[in-house]
Amino acid sequence: MALTHVDDEGRARMVDVGDKPDTRRVAVARGEVHMRPETLALIEANRIAKGDVLTVAQVAGVMAAKETGRLIPLCHPLSLTSVDVRLTTRPEASRVDIEATAATTGKTGVEMEALVAVSVAALTVYDMCKAVDRGMRIENVRLAFKTGGRSGEIVLEEDAAAAVRGEEGEP
């Protein structure tokens, strides 16, 4: 399989998507921030000195998704139709789970937007809590599901696909 972002001489290039049809595109990405139980308890009690960690990280993730084309050199700037970032505390695992769903109708996918949203939300959790827990770990940032375009549906985590199908109808 040939790399699409490399020309015949091996130089990086932005792919020309001008002739591709517009289709509905949705991507779900996920990640985790692992921490000490005491840190998670402070987040849940909204007792972190910098403020409401979960809300600030959610907003940061949405803002980051909208800036993906400026952050990742060969990504096309997209007109997103929606971005949803959810942070869920998991006391039994001493972590915060992050899930981002990005959607658009266009010529190229939104996988990078979803992944950037998760990554920046996770970095925001770390930044806001590092004064009390420098041992936090950002882990398992990954694409869980995507649909739309020529490659169609890619299901890496069935529950993510089911959630999108429930919200969007059959893609």
Side-chain angles (χ1 to χ4, degrees):
M1 174 181 243
L3 296 174
T4 58
H5 284 74
V6 178
D7 69 16
D8 293 337
E9 296 169 4
R11 292 185 302 239
R13 69 177 176 100
M14 183 180 238
V15 175
D16 183 354
V17 296
D19 292 333
K20 293 171 73 175
D22 286 346
T23 63
R24 176 84 175 141
R25 296 162 184 274
V26 180
V28 178
R30 292 177 170 160
E32 305 157 1
V33 183
H34 295 256
M35 62 196 65
R36 294 189 335 239
E38 301 82 16
T39 306
L40 187 61
L42 289 171
I43 291 171
E44 290 180 316
N46 198 17
R47 295 192 56 223
I48 294 292
K50 285 190 172 185
D52 183 345
V53 173
L54 301 177
T55 300
V56 173
Q58 178 187 29
V59 172
V62 171
M63 291 174 64
K66 296 182 341 181
E67 296 296 329
T68 299
R70 293 175 49 156
L71 297 170
I72 308 295
L74 301 178
C75 280
H76 292 83
L78 299 182
S79 177
L80 296 170
T81 56
S82 70
V83 178
D84 182 35
V85 178
R86 296 177 189 216
L87 291 92
T88 306
T89 59
R90 300 283 183 219
E92 71 283 359
S94 193
R95 72 176 192 238
V96 174
D97 288 352
I98 304 168
E99 180 177 277
T101 304
T104 192
T105 299
K107 298 176 183 307
T108 189
V110 289
E111 298 93 335
M112 293 306 300
E113 286 71 13
L115 287 163
V116 166
V118 167
S119 298
V120 170
L123 289 166
T124 301
V125 170
Y126 184 92
D127 177 60
M128 293 186 74
C129 300
K130 68 182 184 271
V132 296
D133 188 352
R134 293 220 183 249
M136 289 178 291
R137 295 178 324 279
I138 296 169
E139 295 184 359
N140 209 12
V141 174
R142 70 223 183 252
L143 180 68
F145 173 77
K146 76 92 149 173
T147 189
R150 190 175 18 190
S151 61
E153 207 173 78
I154 296 175
V155 179
L156 301 170
E157 297 179 25
E158 186 56 48
D159 63 324
V164 169
R165 290 182 191 124
E167 293 173 13
E168 302 284 330
E170 279 298 317

